[in-house]
Amino acid sequence: MERPAPLTQAGKGLALTVLVALVLIPFLVIVSTSLASNRDVVANGGWVLWPTHPTLRAYSTILGGGIVTKALAVSAGVTLVGTALSLACTTFLAYALSRPGVVGGRPVLLLVLFTFLFPPGMIPAYLLVKGLGMLDTYASLVLPVLVNVFNLVVLRGFFQGIPEELYEAARLDGAGDWTILWRIVLPLSKAALAVVALFYAVTYWNAWFHASIYLESGHWPLQQVLRTYVVGGAQIADTGLSEAGQVSAPQTTQMAVLVIATVPILLVYPFLQKYFTKGVLTGAIKS
C-alpha cells in the first residue's frame, strides 16, 4: 500500500477533529451547565461552555431529595439482575440451538426468528403483563424482554464457529453438555459474551418506555425520571434557593440528572471496548 499524501492525511485529521468536537462539545456543555451557578446560567442564556463560578449545588439538591437517588438504585438493580438473567438465558438457548440434532431445535429457532420479524404490539404486551400480575413490579421491566433475538443470533453464530473437534474430544472424555458449555464453550466465548452483556446492560439502563407504562411514578428508574425532568420540565419539589436568593436555574438540575444517567455506562464501556469489535464481527460472520 502506498503512503497517503500529506494533503490526504491532513484532510483525515481535519475530519477526525471535527467529529471529535461534535461529540465532545455537547457533552462539555452538559457537564459545565450542571456545574454552573445561577448567575452563570443567566449570563450565558441558559447554556454554559465553561462555568465561571462552579458549584455542586445541583448535584447536592437532586441527590439529597431522594427521588434521583431511589431511581438510581432502581436502575442499577434492574440492570444488574436483568443483564445476568438475560445473559444466562440467551447463552443456554444459543448453545442448544447451535448444536445439531437437538430435538425441536429447528422449530424453536424459527419461532424465535418469527418474533423478531413480527414483534407484538404495545396493547398485547400490556395485556400479557397485566394478566401475569406484573404491573407495578420490576419484573415487568425484565421478563418481557428477557431474550433479545439479535443477541441470540450473535451467540449462536459464535458457538457454531467453535471447531467441532473440541466438542468431539470432550465427549470422548466423557463430558456432558453442561461440562462442555462451562469448561470449553464459555471460556472461548468471552469476547461475544462481553459484547452481549454490554448490549443488555445498555438496554436495561436506558429503558424508560416500559417503566412509563407498567410502573407507578414512585418506582420509576433513572431514565424515566430523567425524561420527566428534561422533556416535561419538572423540577425537584424541594429545590432550594440559589446564592442570589432566586430559585436555581432548571438547566442545572436537568443537566445534573443527565450526567448522573450517562456516566455509569461511560465508565463501564472502556473495560469492554477491546471485546466489542471482535465479538460482534466474529458472531456476525460465523452466523
Side-chain angles (χ1 to χ4, degrees):
M1 297 179 62
E2 297 182 359
R3 185 175 182 179
L7 184 60
T8 303
Q9 291 182 329
K12 292 180 179 179
L14 179 61
L16 181 60
T17 302
V18 172
L19 291 176
V20 171
L22 290 176
V23 174
L24 291 183
I25 291 178
F27 185 74
L28 177 61
V29 170
I30 292 173
V31 176
S32 299
T33 304
S34 68
L35 296 173
S37 62
N38 190 49
R39 70 179 72 172
D40 291 335
V41 174
V42 174
N44 290 274
W47 305 103
V48 180
L49 184 60
W50 191 261
T52 307
H53 307 89
T55 176
L56 296 176
R57 181 180 298 274
Y59 291 96
S60 63
T61 301
I62 61 177
L63 294 178
I67 301 175
V68 176
T69 305
K70 181 179 179 180
L72 181 61
V74 170
S75 291
V78 170
T79 300
L80 292 176
V81 175
T83 300
L85 291 178
S86 294
L87 186 61
C89 294
T90 304
T91 301
F92 295 150
L93 183 57
Y95 176 74
L97 296 178
S98 67
R99 306 310 305 141
V102 175
V103 179
R106 187 71 176 179
V108 172
L109 178 61
L110 294 177
L111 181 62
V112 171
L113 295 177
F114 181 83
T115 62
F116 180 73
L117 297 175
F118 303 96
M122 181 177 64
I123 296 178
Y126 178 83
L127 294 177
L128 177 62
V129 171
K130 181 179 180 181
L132 294 176
M134 293 191 300
L135 284 181
D136 201 26
T137 64
Y138 297 128
S140 62
L141 304 181
V142 177
L143 295 183
V145 292
L146 190 62
V147 176
N148 181 273
V149 179
F150 174 78
N151 296 334
L152 176 67
V153 172
V154 170
L155 275 186
R156 176 177 177 269
F158 197 95
F159 293 162
Q160 287 179 328
I162 297 177
E164 189 65 29
E165 291 77 10
L166 293 178
Y167 294 101
E168 295 177 356
R171 293 195 182 279
L172 289 177
D173 291 337
D177 287 325
W178 174 255
T179 303
I180 294 175
L181 175 63
W182 185 256
R183 295 189 176 183
I184 297 178
V185 176
L186 293 185
L188 294 176
S189 307
K190 292 181 180 179
L193 293 174
V195 171
V196 171
L198 179 62
F199 283 166
Y200 276 126
V202 172
T203 300
Y204 283 117
W205 182 263
N206 291 332
W208 63 270
F209 182 71
H210 289 166
S212 65
I213 298 176
Y214 302 141
L215 299 182
E216 298 292 337
S217 59
H219 299 157
W220 278 351
L222 184 59
Q223 299 300 332
Q224 179 60 19
V225 174
L226 170 64
R227 182 180 183 274
T228 303
Y229 275 53
V230 177
V231 178
Q235 295 192 45
I236 298 178
D238 57 350
T239 299
L241 297 178
S242 66
E243 64 276 6
Q246 300 174 352
V247 177
S248 299
Q251 290 89 344
T252 59
T253 301
Q254 295 170 354
M255 295 305 102
V257 179
L258 184 57
V259 170
I260 294 176
T262 305
V263 167
I265 292 298
L266 293 180
L267 294 178
V268 172
Y269 182 76
F271 297 98
L272 301 177
Q273 183 180 10
K274 62 180 180 180
Y275 300 110
F276 192 83
T277 303
K278 179 181 177 182
V280 172
L281 290 182
T282 304
I285 293 174
K286 297 294 183 180
S287 60

